[in-house]
Every structure is written in C-alpha cells, then in structure tokens.
Amino acid sequence: KQEVTQIPAALSVPEGENLVLNCSFTDSAIYNLQWFRQDPGKGLTSLLLIQSSQREQTSGRLNASLDKSSGRSTLYIAASQPGDSATYLCAALTQGGSEKLVFGKGTKLTVNP
Amino acid sequence: EPEVTQTPSHQVTQMGQEVILRCVPISNHLYFYWYRQILGQKVEFLVSFYNNEISEKSEIFDDQFSVERPDGSNFTLKIRSTKLEDSAMYFCASDRFSYEQYFGPGTRLTVT
C-alpha cells in the first residue's frame, strides 16, 4: 500500500531564500509524481508532474526532482516570495492499474517579507 | 485554458439529508474522480469513473455514496444520508489519458 510522507509539516523562511520541500513514498513502482499548491480553503493547483522515467521538471522558479530508487522527491523553490506562501502537496500515482493519487499531508510554507 | 468547475462552492446540510455535488470536467477528458479532504487531514481518494462505470473505489466509498454522469458534461457525487463526519472539502478531478489529473476548486460540505 502506497504511503506518502512530507517533511517538514511547516516551514517559515525570509523572503528571497531558496528552499527545499521533501516528499517520500513507500512504493517505488510509481507511474508519476505530482506537486500541488493549495491556498487556504481553496482547491489544488498542479505545479509540476514528473513521469517515472524523468529525473526532474522545471517551471519558472520551481524545480522538482524524482529519485525512485530512494523513494524521494524534492521541490526546490528559488528566491522565495511572500506570494509563495501556501501548502504544498505531493501525490503519487502508483503502477499496477490503480488510478488513485495518494497524497502526503503537505508542507505549509510561510515566506516572510 | 480549460478547467474543472464545481458547484456549489459551499453546501450546508442537516444530518440525514441527501446532497448532490456537481462537477463539470474538462470537455475532452475521459477519466473522472472524486476526492475529499477533511479539515487538517490528507486528501483522500473516493472513486474513479471511466466509460460510464466505476473503475475503482476506496473503502470510504460505501453504499451511502454514488456517482453519475447524467449527460455529456456533468459528473455528480451523491451522498444519500449525510453524517457529521462527511463534512469535508470534496474535489472533483478529470484526466484525459489516466496520467495527469486536473482538480476543480472544491465544494465545502458542512453537515450540521
């Protein structure tokens, strides 16, 4: 059974800092891994999707990496801004016919001006 | 850019009442999903739907829940007799090729 864990649960940084959010998964037979952003009381905005055959994906100041062998993914945010404050969720889609995304609990990021 | 929409944004209902949550998936998508997020907890999978039938469901998705695609555009989740513990944010998602799910803004269900 796939389980996804995110550490830390919360992170507070000053504006301009580069930061890394961590995601680990127990079943390395994943099809892909998605990173989402969730603002308070709002929906899920997809940030990056990494296919199992890929090592990383980049979008603007965001870079996500995937290491299936160690069961880890990281989301790197460069030059953080107060507008980046949100909860960041990772979710794994496991191989073997299941269509469900398994989510971590998220990392709540606060970027202080 | 096409997006998944959900109505209503917030629904308040009394325990024991039936509720229907509505979703309009992205028009050329073939796979449809419902997830829920109880306040402070993880987003949890409820059900997936493809080719007009349920393709996978979780243990949460018991006989109180049902899904339907009544026409070519809507996808609904019905809860027959709501319980206090059904209070949550419900997310609809859709996917064209079963590998990247796009989520709607959610419906906050409050059961009193």
Side-chain angles (χ1 to χ4, degrees):
Chain A
K1 178 186 172 188
Q2 179 72 272
E3 293 192 6
V4 177
T5 305
Q6 292 186 248
I7 294 173
L11 182 63
S12 181
V13 301
E15 182 176 2
E17 191 161 298
N18 302 326
L19 57 102
V20 173
L21 307 180
N22 296 295
C23 171
S24 61
F25 45 93
T26 54
D27 185 348
S28 62
I30 61 168
Y31 192 73
N32 63 43
L33 190 129
Q34 269 182 278
W35 282 92
F36 294 88
R37 170 183 172 138
Q38 184 176 32
D39 293 286
K42 301 294 185 182
L44 307 175
T45 301
S46 182
L47 298 173
L48 288 165
L49 179 145
I50 314 177
Q51 300 281 8
S52 62
S53 57
Q54 298 174 319
R55 296 282 299 189
E56 63 178 59
Q57 279 285 346
T58 298
S59 175
R61 293 182 294 108
L62 305 180
N63 175 277
S65 67
L66 175 64
D67 184 346
K68 284 200 312 177
S69 62
S70 66
R72 292 181 186 174
S73 176
T74 61
L75 179 67
Y76 174 82
I77 302 177
S80 57
Q81 302 170 357
D84 295 331
S85 297
T87 296
Y88 291 81
L89 305 175
C90 70
L93 184 65
T94 308
Q95 294 179 8
S98 175
E99 299 161 22
K100 67 180 180 186
L101 282 172
V102 177
F103 283 81
K105 201 169 180 183
T107 294
K108 184 176 181 180
L109 173 66
T110 303
V111 181
N112 301 300
Chain B
E1 185 174 326
E3 57 184 20
V4 177
T5 59
Q6 290 185 243
T7 54
S9 58
H10 189 193
Q11 172 104 37
V12 181
T13 189
Q14 289 189 328
M15 196 166 50
Q17 296 295 306
E18 174 183 287
V19 294
I20 298 176
L21 309 183
R22 302 181 193 279
C23 168
V24 179
I26 295 172
S27 63
N28 62 351
H29 284 190
L30 304 174
Y31 299 82
F32 313 109
Y33 311 85
W34 284 101
Y35 292 80
R36 79 172 184 190
Q37 185 180 33
I38 295 170
L39 189 63
Q41 298 189 23
K42 292 183 178 184
V43 177
E44 304 172 286
F45 169 81
L46 292 178
V47 66
S48 59
F49 191 87
Y50 171 72
N51 201 24
N52 281 319
E53 61 183 24
I54 291 173
S55 48
E56 186 177 357
K57 61 182 180 179
S58 72
E59 59 273 14
I60 303 168
F61 194 88
D62 61 20
D63 292 343
Q64 292 297 314
F65 292 89
S66 62
V67 290
E68 195 177 33
R69 188 153 161 82
D71 53 41
S73 59
N74 290 285
F75 180 50
T76 62
L77 174 68
K78 182 192 292 186
I79 308 175
R80 288 191 182 81
S81 178
T82 50
K83 308 182 187 98
L84 294 176
E85 55 265 37
D86 293 328
S87 294
M89 183 77 98
Y90 288 80
F91 294 108
C92 172
S94 70
D95 187 337
R96 177 157 171 77
F97 298 115
S98 186
Y99 76 85
E100 183 171 9
Q101 297 178 24
Y102 292 81
F103 283 74
T107 292
R108 180 169 298 284
L109 177 65
T110 302
V111 182
T112 62

PDB file of all heavy atoms in Angstrom, chain A residues 23-28 55 65-74:
ATOM      1  N   CYS A  23       9.440  15.039  -0.079  1.00  0.00           N
ATOM      2  CA  CYS A  23       8.336  14.092  -0.199  1.00  0.00           C
ATOM      3  C   CYS A  23       8.940  12.697  -0.307  1.00  0.00           C
ATOM      4  O   CYS A  23       9.882  12.494  -1.083  1.00  0.00           O
ATOM      5  CB  CYS A  23       7.519  14.429  -1.451  1.00  0.00           C
ATOM      6  SG  CYS A  23       6.262  13.226  -1.917  1.00  0.00           S
ATOM      7  N   SER A  24       8.433  11.765   0.479  1.00  0.00           N
ATOM      8  CA  SER A  24       8.911  10.380   0.359  1.00  0.00           C
ATOM      9  C   SER A  24       7.720   9.452   0.157  1.00  0.00           C
ATOM     10  O   SER A  24       6.617   9.728   0.634  1.00  0.00           O
ATOM     11  CB  SER A  24       9.721   9.968   1.593  1.00  0.00           C
ATOM     12  OG  SER A  24       8.927  10.044   2.753  1.00  0.00           O
ATOM     13  N   PHE A  25       7.953   8.364  -0.557  1.00  0.00           N
ATOM     14  CA  PHE A  25       6.897   7.407  -0.856  1.00  0.00           C
ATOM     15  C   PHE A  25       7.425   6.002  -0.632  1.00  0.00           C
ATOM     16  O   PHE A  25       8.623   5.735  -0.815  1.00  0.00           O
ATOM     17  CB  PHE A  25       6.337   7.587  -2.274  1.00  0.00           C
ATOM     18  CG  PHE A  25       7.381   7.773  -3.343  1.00  0.00           C
ATOM     19  CD1 PHE A  25       7.878   6.693  -4.051  1.00  0.00           C
ATOM     20  CD2 PHE A  25       7.874   9.042  -3.638  1.00  0.00           C
ATOM     21  CE1 PHE A  25       8.840   6.861  -5.026  1.00  0.00           C
ATOM     22  CE2 PHE A  25       8.835   9.225  -4.611  1.00  0.00           C
ATOM     23  CZ  PHE A  25       9.325   8.131  -5.312  1.00  0.00           C
ATOM     24  N   THR A  26       6.539   5.102  -0.225  1.00  0.00           N
ATOM     25  CA  THR A  26       6.990   3.774   0.199  1.00  0.00           C
ATOM     26  C   THR A  26       7.095   2.783  -0.958  1.00  0.00           C
ATOM     27  O   THR A  26       7.912   1.866  -0.909  1.00  0.00           O
ATOM     28  CB  THR A  26       6.037   3.211   1.258  1.00  0.00           C
ATOM     29  OG1 THR A  26       4.695   3.232   0.750  1.00  0.00           O
ATOM     30  CG2 THR A  26       6.115   4.032   2.539  1.00  0.00           C
ATOM     31  N   ASP A  27       6.274   2.939  -1.982  1.00  0.00           N
ATOM     32  CA  ASP A  27       6.288   2.014  -3.116  1.00  0.00           C
ATOM     33  C   ASP A  27       6.950   2.704  -4.293  1.00  0.00           C
ATOM     34  O   ASP A  27       6.404   3.661  -4.842  1.00  0.00           O
ATOM     35  CB  ASP A  27       4.857   1.602  -3.460  1.00  0.00           C
ATOM     36  CG  ASP A  27       4.791   0.537  -4.547  1.00  0.00           C
ATOM     37  OD1 ASP A  27       5.819   0.270  -5.207  1.00  0.00           O
ATOM     38  OD2 ASP A  27       3.698  -0.032  -4.735  1.00  0.00           O
ATOM     39  N   SER A  28       8.125   2.241  -4.675  1.00  0.00           N
ATOM     40  CA  SER A  28       8.882   2.909  -5.734  1.00  0.00           C
ATOM     41  C   SER A  28       8.317   2.652  -7.131  1.00  0.00           C
ATOM     42  O   SER A  28       8.757   3.274  -8.091  1.00  0.00           O
ATOM     43  CB  SER A  28      10.345   2.467  -5.687  1.00  0.00           C
ATOM     44  OG  SER A  28      10.437   1.071  -5.924  1.00  0.00           O
ATOM     45  N   ARG A  55      13.888  12.544 -14.328  1.00  0.00           N
ATOM     46  CA  ARG A  55      14.601  12.827 -13.073  1.00  0.00           C
ATOM     47  C   ARG A  55      14.166  14.157 -12.486  1.00  0.00           C
ATOM     48  O   ARG A  55      14.206  14.335 -11.276  1.00  0.00           O
ATOM     49  CB  ARG A  55      16.099  12.883 -13.348  1.00  0.00           C
ATOM     50  CG  ARG A  55      16.700  11.594 -13.827  1.00  0.00           C
ATOM     51  CD  ARG A  55      16.918  10.620 -12.731  1.00  0.00           C
ATOM     52  NE  ARG A  55      17.841  11.099 -11.712  1.00  0.00           N
ATOM     53  CZ  ARG A  55      18.320  10.343 -10.736  1.00  0.00           C
ATOM     54  NH1 ARG A  55      17.944   9.095 -10.631  1.00  0.00           N
ATOM     55  NH2 ARG A  55      19.150  10.831  -9.835  1.00  0.00           N
ATOM     56  N   SER A  65      12.454  17.210  -8.413  1.00  0.00           N
ATOM     57  CA  SER A  65      13.283  16.064  -8.777  1.00  0.00           C
ATOM     58  C   SER A  65      12.638  14.788  -8.271  1.00  0.00           C
ATOM     59  O   SER A  65      11.812  14.814  -7.349  1.00  0.00           O
ATOM     60  CB  SER A  65      14.687  16.213  -8.179  1.00  0.00           C
ATOM     61  OG  SER A  65      14.612  16.116  -6.771  1.00  0.00           O
ATOM     62  N   LEU A  66      13.015  13.685  -8.888  1.00  0.00           N
ATOM     63  CA  LEU A  66      12.462  12.390  -8.522  1.00  0.00           C
ATOM     64  C   LEU A  66      13.578  11.358  -8.472  1.00  0.00           C
ATOM     65  O   LEU A  66      14.351  11.226  -9.428  1.00  0.00           O
ATOM     66  CB  LEU A  66      11.400  11.955  -9.541  1.00  0.00           C
ATOM     67  CG  LEU A  66      10.793  10.567  -9.365  1.00  0.00           C
ATOM     68  CD1 LEU A  66      10.018  10.487  -8.060  1.00  0.00           C
ATOM     69  CD2 LEU A  66       9.896  10.220 -10.541  1.00  0.00           C
ATOM     70  N   ASP A  67      13.668  10.641  -7.372  1.00  0.00           N
ATOM     71  CA  ASP A  67      14.603   9.516  -7.228  1.00  0.00           C
ATOM     72  C   ASP A  67      13.779   8.315  -6.785  1.00  0.00           C
ATOM     73  O   ASP A  67      13.501   8.141  -5.593  1.00  0.00           O
ATOM     74  CB  ASP A  67      15.678   9.853  -6.199  1.00  0.00           C
ATOM     75  CG  ASP A  67      16.723   8.747  -6.084  1.00  0.00           C
ATOM     76  OD1 ASP A  67      16.472   7.635  -6.585  1.00  0.00           O
ATOM     77  OD2 ASP A  67      17.774   8.993  -5.486  1.00  0.00           O
ATOM     78  N   LYS A  68      13.400   7.499  -7.747  1.00  0.00           N
ATOM     79  CA  LYS A  68      12.526   6.370  -7.435  1.00  0.00           C
ATOM     80  C   LYS A  68      13.214   5.353  -6.540  1.00  0.00           C
ATOM     81  O   LYS A  68      12.586   4.757  -5.675  1.00  0.00           O
ATOM     82  CB  LYS A  68      12.086   5.678  -8.731  1.00  0.00           C
ATOM     83  CG  LYS A  68      11.029   6.433  -9.499  1.00  0.00           C
ATOM     84  CD  LYS A  68      10.286   5.539 -10.484  1.00  0.00           C
ATOM     85  CE  LYS A  68      11.197   4.708 -11.322  1.00  0.00           C
ATOM     86  NZ  LYS A  68      10.464   3.785 -12.219  1.00  0.00           N
ATOM     87  N   SER A  69      14.497   5.144  -6.761  1.00  0.00           N
ATOM     88  CA  SER A  69      15.205   4.103  -6.011  1.00  0.00           C
ATOM     89  C   SER A  69      15.216   4.389  -4.519  1.00  0.00           C
ATOM     90  O   SER A  69      15.158   3.466  -3.697  1.00  0.00           O
ATOM     91  CB  SER A  69      16.639   3.946  -6.535  1.00  0.00           C
ATOM     92  OG  SER A  69      17.354   5.147  -6.355  1.00  0.00           O
ATOM     93  N   SER A  70      15.272   5.669  -4.159  1.00  0.00           N
ATOM     94  CA  SER A  70      15.263   6.026  -2.738  1.00  0.00           C
ATOM     95  C   SER A  70      13.872   6.412  -2.257  1.00  0.00           C
ATOM     96  O   SER A  70      13.672   6.676  -1.075  1.00  0.00           O
ATOM     97  CB  SER A  70      16.228   7.177  -2.467  1.00  0.00           C
ATOM     98  OG  SER A  70      15.773   8.363  -3.105  1.00  0.00           O
ATOM     99  N   GLY A  71      12.913   6.450  -3.162  1.00  0.00           N
ATOM    100  CA  GLY A  71      11.539   6.795  -2.790  1.00  0.00           C
ATOM    101  C   GLY A  71      11.385   8.237  -2.373  1.00  0.00           C
ATOM    102  O   GLY A  71      10.667   8.528  -1.412  1.00  0.00           O
ATOM    103  N   ARG A  72      12.052   9.140  -3.091  1.00  0.00           N
ATOM    104  CA  ARG A  72      12.030  10.543  -2.693  1.00  0.00           C
ATOM    105  C   ARG A  72      11.812  11.476  -3.877  1.00  0.00           C
ATOM    106  O   ARG A  72      12.267  11.223  -4.988  1.00  0.00           O
ATOM    107  CB  ARG A  72      13.334  10.935  -2.023  1.00  0.00           C
ATOM    108  CG  ARG A  72      13.561  10.291  -0.689  1.00  0.00           C
ATOM    109  CD  ARG A  72      14.856  10.753  -0.097  1.00  0.00           C
ATOM    110  NE  ARG A  72      15.141  10.026   1.132  1.00  0.00           N
ATOM    111  CZ  ARG A  72      16.274  10.124   1.820  1.00  0.00           C
ATOM    112  NH1 ARG A  72      17.229  10.939   1.401  1.00  0.00           N
ATOM    113  NH2 ARG A  72      16.454   9.425   2.919  1.00  0.00           N
ATOM    114  N   SER A  73      11.130  12.583  -3.575  1.00  0.00           N
ATOM    115  CA  SER A  73      11.036  13.693  -4.497  1.00  0.00           C
ATOM    116  C   SER A  73      11.255  14.969  -3.709  1.00  0.00           C
ATOM    117  O   SER A  73      10.921  15.038  -2.514  1.00  0.00           O
ATOM    118  CB  SER A  73       9.662  13.726  -5.173  1.00  0.00           C
ATOM    119  OG  SER A  73       9.531  14.857  -6.008  1.00  0.00           O
ATOM    120  N   THR A  74      11.842  15.961  -4.363  1.00  0.00           N
ATOM    121  CA  THR A  74      12.015  17.255  -3.716  1.00  0.00           C
ATOM    122  C   THR A  74      11.462  18.344  -4.616  1.00  0.00           C
ATOM    123  O   THR A  74      11.494  18.232  -5.851  1.00  0.00           O
ATOM    124  CB  THR A  74      13.488  17.560  -3.419  1.00  0.00           C
ATOM    125  OG1 THR A  74      14.212  17.586  -4.641  1.00  0.00           O
ATOM    126  CG2 THR A  74      14.101  16.545  -2.480  1.00  0.00           C
TER     127      THR A  74
END
